[in-house]
Each structure stands twice: as structure tokens, then as C-alpha cells.
């Protein structure tokens, strides 16, 4: 547990000190700020589509730091050192998922409050969005780490990561946006998809990280 906590703390420090966490929030806010300019100042229309806009922006923001989640450790030999010490790569992936969510989930939920004001969302709708983000962002973090491990060492990893991650994240986007108006059924489906990603991503990412060391 001590090593896992150290790995989580290390990745969190790297994300905040390197500006990665700030970049994610800035991109999210920029996307939500630009959207009202694109469709006009119709407050009723903004309120109708605002929840979906927040979810789409959250998905794209989650993609921003994907290249930096695994590749730097693979290039620096950190993964090899951990493997020599007998540390499970699935455990390392789990630590990275937790760290990425800490740097990505709560800041995004705070930024969603400002986005709700820009998109004319009511307090009730904002609460539903926040609940959805609380449930769905761990799944996004898990998917991001798994994608990062899969594309580590690949030329043009950023573009490849988008091609890999975005289609797999569509269920989260659909059920996340649907949870705003779709009742508890959509929330349960969102939770199921997020849980499936959280459970499976460490093993996929661990296998991919082991492959980079061969």
C-alpha cells in the first residue's frame, strides 16, 4: 500500500507541477465558453443542450493528457524498475487511474459549476450533471490510462489515442448526457459502464505496459 500511495502521489505532483491538470480544466472551460457563441444567445436552447455540451467537453478534456500518462515512465525505464521489484503492472495501472482521476475528476466537477452558468443550466440540472460526472469520470480516467498504455511508444500517439479512446467512450457520453433527463435508468447504465471500465482497464493497461518492456 505504501508503494501504491507513493506512485499515486508522484503522478499527482507531476500532473499539477507540469500544468497537465490545469490544461485539462482550461480546455474544458474554453469548449463550454465557445459553444454559446456557436449557437447564439438563445437561453432556452442553451439550457436544453447544456448538459450534453458539458459531457462532450469532459470527454475531450480527458483525452488531453493521454500521451503523458504512461509513455514518460516507459521511456525513462521506471516501469522496468518496478517490474524488477516484483510490482504488478496492473497495480501500477490502478495507481495511475486513481492519480489521473484525482487530477481530472474533481477539478472538472468544480469547473462544471462555471460552465453551468454560461449554459444557463438550472440548479436541478447542474446537480444531475455533477452526479453523472462523479459516476462517469472514474470510467473516463480508467479508459484514458488504458489508452495511454496501448499507444505508448507509437509514433503520433496523440492522434492514435483519439482514434482508440473516443469510440470506446461513446457509451459513457450517451448515458452521461442521458442521465440528465432519462431518470435513474440512465444513471444505472452509466454506473455499469463506468464500473466495467474501472474493473477491466488495469488489466488491459498492465498487459500493454508489459508489452512495452519486451
Amino acid at each position: 500500500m505504501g508503494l501504491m500511495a507513493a506512485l499515486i502521489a508522484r503522478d499527482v505532483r507531476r500532473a499539477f507541477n507540469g500544468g497537465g491538470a490545469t490544461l485539462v480544466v482550461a480546455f474544458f472551460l474554453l469548449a463550454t465558453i465557445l459553444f454559446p457563441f456557436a449557437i447564439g444567445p438563445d437561453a432556452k436552447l442553451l439550457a436544453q443542450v447544456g448538459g450534453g455540451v458539458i459531457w462532450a467537453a469532459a470527454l475531450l478534456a480527458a483525452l488531453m493528457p493521454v500521451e503523458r500518462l504512461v509513455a514518460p515512465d516507459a521511456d525513462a525505464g521506471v516501469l522496468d524498475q518496478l517490474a524488477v521489484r516484483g510490482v504488478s503492472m496492473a497495480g501500477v495501472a490502478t495507481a495511475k487511474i486513481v492519480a489521473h482521476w484525482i487530477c481530472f475528476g474533481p477539478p472538472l466537477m468544480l469547473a462544471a459549476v462555471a460552465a453551468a452558468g454560461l449554459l444557463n443550466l438550472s440548479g436541478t440540472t447542474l446537480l444531475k450533471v455533477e452526479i453523472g460526472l462523479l459516476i462517469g469520470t472514474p470510467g473516463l480516467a480508467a479508459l484514458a490510462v488504458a489508452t495511454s498504455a496501448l499507444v505508448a511508444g507509437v509514433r503520433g500517439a496523440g492522434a492514435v489515442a483519439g482514434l482508440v479512446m473516443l469510440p470506446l467512450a461513446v457509451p459513457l457520453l450517451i448515458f452521461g448526457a442521458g442521465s440528465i433527463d432519462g431518470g435513474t435508468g440512465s444513471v444505472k447504465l452509466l454506473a455499469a459502464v463506468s464500473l466495467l471500465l474501472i474493473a477491466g482497464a488495469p488489466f488491459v493497461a498492465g498487459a500493454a505496459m508489459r508489452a512495452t518492456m519486451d
Side-chain angles (χ1 to χ4, degrees), residues 50-133:
V53 170
I54 289 178
W55 264 99
L59 171 57
L60 295 175
L63 187 61
M64 294 291 292
V66 162
E67 287 183 84
R68 300 186 297 274
L69 296 177
V70 173
D73 286 346
D75 295 339
V78 174
L79 299 182
D80 297 280
Q81 295 175 27
L82 291 171
V84 169
R85 295 180 60 179
V87 180
S88 165
M89 287 298 103
V92 174
T94 301
K96 288 186 173 295
I97 290 170
V98 173
H100 182 43
W101 183 81
I102 290 172
C103 300
F104 157 70
L108 214 63
M109 292 175 66
L110 289 174
V113 177
L118 295 169
L119 296 169
N120 196 40
L121 298 185
S122 66
T124 301
T125 302
L126 174 60
L127 178 60
K128 293 179 180 178
V129 169
E130 293 286 11
I131 292 172
L133 289 175

Side-chain angles (χ1 to χ4, degrees), residues 143-203:
L143 183 57
V145 171
T147 302
S148 182
L150 289 169
V151 302
V154 176
R155 187 174 182 180
V160 177
L163 293 174
V164 173
M165 181 174 171
L166 290 178
L168 295 174
V170 167
L172 282 175
L173 178 63
I174 293 173
F175 296 133
S179 67
I180 299 171
D181 299 316
T184 59
S186 295
V187 174
K188 291 177 181 178
L189 289 170
L190 174 63
V193 173
S194 186
L195 184 60
L196 179 63
L197 290 171
I198 294 168
F203 300 101

